[in-house]
Amino acid sequence: MSDYAAYPQRITRAQALAALDALGIPHTVTELRLDASTGADVTLYARNADGRAIAHGDRPVTVSLHIPFGEEATPDGTA
C-alpha cells in the first residue's frame, strides 16, 4: 500500500497552471486527467475564431479530447 502522507494536501492554482504550461495545454481547460498508460484526457471550453467562449443557452459548450502518448524526441529533434 502506498504512503499517502507523502502526497501533498493541496496544490495551488499557480502549480496547476504551471503543469498545464509544461504540457502545452491552454488554460481554457476545465478538466485534465492523466492516465499513465494512455495519455491525457482533456475537457476545455469551446471557443469561436475570436477566442470567445461558445454557449448553448446559459451553459458553456465544452469539448473533450484525448492526447495520446507519443515518441519522445531525440536531441536532434526527431522521434
Side-chain angles (χ1 to χ4, degrees):
M1 176 137 64
S2 202
D3 180 15
Y4 294 110
Y7 290 90
Q9 294 283 324
R10 62 188 59 84
I11 63 170
T12 66
R13 180 162 173 74
Q15 289 172 313
L17 295 177
L20 292 175
D21 290 340
L23 293 169
I25 296 173
H27 296 183
T28 56
V29 162
T30 63
E31 183 178 354
L32 170 67
R33 186 175 85 66
L34 294 174
D35 183 306
S37 61
T38 64
D41 292 305
V42 181
T43 302
L44 58 140
Y45 291 118
R47 304 225 173 235
N48 65 17
D50 297 326
R52 294 185 188 147
I54 299 170
H56 179 70
D58 62 349
R59 297 185 58 104
V61 174
T62 59
V63 177
S64 296
L65 58 108
H66 177 73
I67 304 170
F69 288 126
E71 297 295 321
E72 292 189 34
T74 60
D76 66 0
T78 61

